């Protein structure tokens, strides 16, 4: 049996896909879907999120994005939902906008770079941008449309995954894994905390433990994962303000706006190295709103419905750790940093046995001393 530690979007997707294959699996989490996956905006946007130094991440993201439509359709069916639209999966693309001459030049460069990678994007004038998104600021002078980029509501996804697991009879143990059980050099299960609460066993034995505890993974094994704080806010408008994701760089900081079908507009996100701090700060929210207003002035009229901070599981090279750890009995599905929602389908495929170049890029073996 596999025991998965951690029920965020990564652990839940994995448990569901394993169960679908008829493999025995137990998931351990005191509060499933409460970590970074609860905070995430849900952008499935490998192209518009690209940076010049992150081509491997781009390739992982593009591969996983291609798998999202089938993943969402199967999940919706398994969860008893009418269809993938119930997850608010949308694919109108991302519009990356610029204001100043040097930002426009950077967009031109990015467009040429993406073309070389065979990921064509459309370069737009300011007027063309506003034709697509009339609420954009008049000062927007140009943009780049990544037509294939998509997004989803991560909270609907995790709720659907929990429903699908329930329907498939997967055991969900609402407890914390206090430590990994080891026998010689082998991981053989997990010790639960508090032990024996609610009549449950004090420990679970497993043929394979899959560590999917996000930013908390390093508390259980020697893995190079650290928390990267992200503050994000949710606004509400009677009518949707945007039809697609909009992003831009303001005062040197990236900001994005993600519209949901129900009128919610998600504005994110800060990136802070603050350890396990999840306080929402006045400064963080001020910067988000200030920058979002530059892109779409109308945001200041909207009601604030939620502010929250989450912890992304960061790794030294920003790539996830997926696959056997090097310690017998222990596999990893962690370190997804800014892209755990995007990479969830690919992660599950790799742990179900997919081999090849993509799996090799995520292999924990690229770091020494994992145990
Ligand atoms: P988490 O969702 O953090 O889940 C970890 C789980 O492990 C939690 O449920 C926790 O309770 C459990 N756990 C911890 N310790 C233990 C233990 N000892 N025993 C048992 N269970 C334990 N990604 C995208 O793809 N697109 C986005 O647009 C996007 N936007 C983001 C915006 C913000 C503000 C943030 C913070 C993140 C964003 N991300 C985005 C990143 C994404 O949220 C993460 O990569 C993803 O959620 C990681 O999923 P996870 O399942 O590994 O971790």
């Amino acid at each position: 049996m596999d025991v998965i530690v951690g029920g965020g979007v990564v652990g839940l997707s994995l448990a569901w896909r394993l169960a679908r294959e008829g493999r025995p699996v137990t998931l351990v989490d005191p509060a499933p879907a409460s970590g970074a996956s609860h905070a995430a905006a849900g952008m499935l946007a490998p192209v518009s999120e690209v940076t010049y130094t992150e081509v491997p991440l781009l390739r992982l993201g593009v591969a996983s994005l291609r798998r999202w439509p089938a993943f969402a359709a199967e999940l919706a069916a398994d969860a008893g939902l009418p269809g993938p639209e119930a997850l608010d999966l949308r694919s109108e693309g991302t519009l990356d906008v610029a204001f100043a001459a040097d930002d426009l030049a950077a967009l031109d460069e990015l467009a040429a770079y993406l073309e070389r990678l065979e990921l064509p994007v459309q370069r737009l004038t300011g007027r063309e941008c506003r034709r697509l998104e009339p609420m954009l600021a008049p000062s927007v002078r140009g943009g780049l449309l990544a037509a294939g980029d998509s997004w989803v509501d991560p909270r609907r996804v995790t709720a659907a995954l929990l429903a699908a697991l329930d329907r498939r009879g997967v055991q969900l143990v609402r407890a914390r894994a206090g430590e990994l059980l080891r026998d010689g050099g082998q991981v053989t299960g997990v010790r639960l905390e508090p032990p024996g609460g609610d009549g449950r066993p004090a420990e679970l034995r497993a043929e394979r433990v899959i560590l999917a505890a996000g930013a908390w993974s390093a508390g259980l094994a020697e893995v190079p994962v650290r928390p990267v704080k992200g503050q994000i806010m949710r606004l509400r408008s009677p009518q949707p303000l945007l039809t697609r994701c909009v992003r831009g760089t303001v005062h040197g900081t990236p900001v994005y706006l993600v519209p949901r079908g129900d009128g919610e507009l998600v504005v994110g996100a800060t990136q802070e190295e603050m350890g396990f701090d999840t306080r929402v700060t006045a400064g963080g929210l001020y910067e988000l709103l200030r920058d979002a207003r530059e892109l779409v002035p109308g945001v200041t009229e909207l009601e604030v419905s939620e502010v929250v901070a989450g912890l992304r599981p960061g790794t030294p090279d920003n790539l996830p750790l997926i696959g056997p750890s090097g310690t017998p009995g222990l596999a990893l599905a962690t370190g997804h940093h800014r892209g755990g929602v995007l990479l969830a389908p690919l992660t599950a495929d790799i742990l179900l046995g997919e081999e090849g170049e993509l799996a090799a890029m995520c292999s924990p073996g690229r770091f020494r001393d994992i145990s």
Side-chain angles (χ1 to χ4, degrees):
M1 183 184 67
D2 284 327
V3 166
I4 299 176
V5 177
V9 69
V10 171
L12 290 170
S13 303
L14 194 52
W16 167 61
R17 292 289 310 281
L18 285 165
R20 269 193 122 229
E21 299 282 314
R23 314 243 288 250
V25 57
T26 296
L27 187 107
V28 179
D29 192 323
S34 65
S37 308
H38 183 72
M43 280 186 299
L44 312 176
V47 173
S48 55
E49 286 230 331
V50 69
T51 63
Y52 294 103
T53 52
E54 291 185 323
V55 176
L57 189 59
L58 171 69
R59 294 181 52 203
L60 294 177
V62 168
S64 201
L65 173 59
R66 289 201 187 108
R67 300 174 194 203
W68 252 100
F71 180 90
E74 285 166 11
L75 173 58
D78 255 26
L81 297 169
E85 60 287 351
L87 307 174
D88 213 357
L89 175 62
R90 294 175 56 186
S91 52
E92 286 92 337
T94 305
L95 182 59
D96 196 346
V97 298
F99 299 90
D102 49 349
D103 292 342
L104 288 169
L107 282 191
D108 284 335
E109 241 172 71
L110 187 60
Y113 172 71
L114 288 166
E115 215 121 288
R116 284 198 297 281
L117 295 172
E118 292 176 18
L119 296 165
V121 286
Q122 208 182 332
R123 186 70 175 76
L124 303 175
T125 63
R127 187 171 297 175
E128 287 168 333
C129 289
R130 275 184 295 280
R131 205 171 298 141
L132 288 180
E133 294 297 343
M135 299 309 282
L136 280 178
S139 49
V140 165
R141 289 181 52 195
L144 207 62
L145 179 65
D149 277 1
S150 304
W151 68 101
V152 71
D153 184 340
R155 293 181 182 176
R156 292 188 187 211
V157 172
T158 51
L161 285 164
L162 282 165
L165 289 182
D166 191 44
R167 286 162 67 112
R168 287 199 173 261
V170 171
Q171 193 190 9
L172 172 57
V173 178
R174 289 184 187 265
R176 197 176 158 272
E179 64 174 328
L180 301 181
L181 300 172
R182 292 175 192 264
D183 190 354
Q186 166 130 13
V187 169
T188 55
V190 296
R191 193 177 313 285
L192 299 176
E193 277 182 357
D198 299 334
R200 68 170 172 261
E203 49 187 52
L204 288 172
R205 295 274 162 189
E207 278 149 40
R208 176 169 72 156
V209 172
I210 305 175
L211 183 56
W216 297 271
S217 298
L220 286 161
E222 288 284 329
V223 287
V225 176
R226 68 181 199 287
V228 181
K229 178 178 176 181
Q231 301 189 49
I232 193 164
M233 64 198 303
R234 285 170 167 77
L235 308 175
R236 183 154 293 286
S237 70
Q239 274 106 35
L241 219 55
L242 299 171
T243 55
R244 53 180 58 70
C245 289
V246 168
R247 58 185 306 136
T249 301
V250 186
H251 307 295
T253 320
V255 62
Y256 57 75
L257 297 98
V258 180
R260 301 245 184 267
D262 61 1
E264 186 177 81
L265 187 69
V266 181
V267 179
T270 66
Q271 278 216 60
E272 305 162 67
E273 299 283 348
M274 298 282 290
F276 286 93
D277 173 19
T278 50
R279 287 170 308 143
V280 175
T281 64
L285 296 185
Y286 166 72
E287 280 169 28
L288 285 179
L289 268 183
R290 181 197 61 192
D291 297 351
R293 190 182 64 165
E294 295 276 325
L295 264 55
V296 179
V299 293
T300 50
E301 305 297 323
L302 305 186
E303 181 189 341
V304 177
S305 55
E306 187 185 338
V307 292
V308 66
L311 300 173
R312 306 174 185 92
T315 61
D317 59 5
N318 291 344
L319 293 171
L321 297 158
I322 309 170
S325 68
T327 298
L330 177 64
L332 306 179
T334 184
H336 291 72
H337 198 207
R338 305 189 313 258
V341 184
L342 170 63
L343 297 174
L346 175 68
T347 304
D349 285 342
I350 293 175
L351 278 155
L352 277 151
E354 175 174 319
E355 291 175 352
E357 212 188 338
L358 299 174
M361 283 187 230
C362 306
S363 166
R366 68 188 189 278
F367 295 107
R368 286 191 191 162
D369 303 332
I370 289 185
S371 58

